[in-house]
Amino acid sequence: MKRLSFFLFAGAVGFVVDMGVLWLLLELKMLDPFTARAPAIGAALVCSYIINRTFTFGASHRNVAVEGVRYGGVGLVSTLINYSVYSGLLLLLPSLSPYLALIFGSGSATLFAYLGYSRFVFGPGPDV
């Protein structure tokens, strides 16, 4: 239960970073809602990795580079799920707020991310 609580905390911090970067880029009219999500998700992924590695799961038995690549792989698939839901909602419902679409996108990727990080990145097992 402690691990799940820390994971949700890391996710909440990542979500705030994601939302903050998205808001900043949209508010300053630097990027459109579709393009702005890329740096927003990237910043959130870095923040959540630091929290997950430090508090949620601890360092794995793997080399930090291998762990980082595995984390990035799970993060990439999770990001694709997140971004697909986000973009799909904005395309289907053009009047929908990008912030509401972000909530649905992030929520849709949470379970996949937890299972991937806990089993593939930080879980026991041989390096493959």
Side-chain angles (χ1 to χ4, degrees):
M1 193 63 170
K2 179 181 169 189
R3 182 179 275 188
L4 181 59
S5 297
F6 274 117
F7 178 78
L8 293 174
F9 171 74
V13 170
F15 177 80
V16 168
V17 169
D18 192 349
M19 181 75 77
V21 172
L22 179 66
W23 174 83
L24 184 66
L25 293 172
L26 293 179
E27 191 66 25
L28 297 176
K29 299 185 187 330
M30 296 175 75
L31 298 171
D32 64 87
F34 295 98
T35 309
R37 254 339 272 293
I41 290 174
L45 190 61
V46 169
C47 290
S48 65
Y49 171 72
I50 292 167
I51 294 169
N52 279 327
R53 187 172 201 279
T54 305
F55 301 107
T56 308
F57 303 109
S60 73
H61 67 282
R62 296 173 178 88
N63 174 290
V64 71
V66 171
E67 178 183 286
V69 168
R70 284 176 170 240
Y71 194 94
V74 172
L76 179 62
V77 174
S78 177
T79 295
L80 292 173
I81 294 167
N82 184 333
Y83 190 79
S84 295
V85 170
Y86 171 84
S87 298
L89 286 171
L90 290 180
L91 290 171
L92 289 172
L93 306 166
S95 63
L96 183 69
S97 164
Y99 308 112
L100 188 56
L102 180 144
I103 291 168
F104 285 110
S106 294
S108 68
T110 300
L111 179 62
F112 173 82
Y114 179 75
L115 293 174
Y117 294 145
S118 66
R119 296 195 173 137
F120 182 68
V121 179
F122 298 104
D127 288 334
V128 178

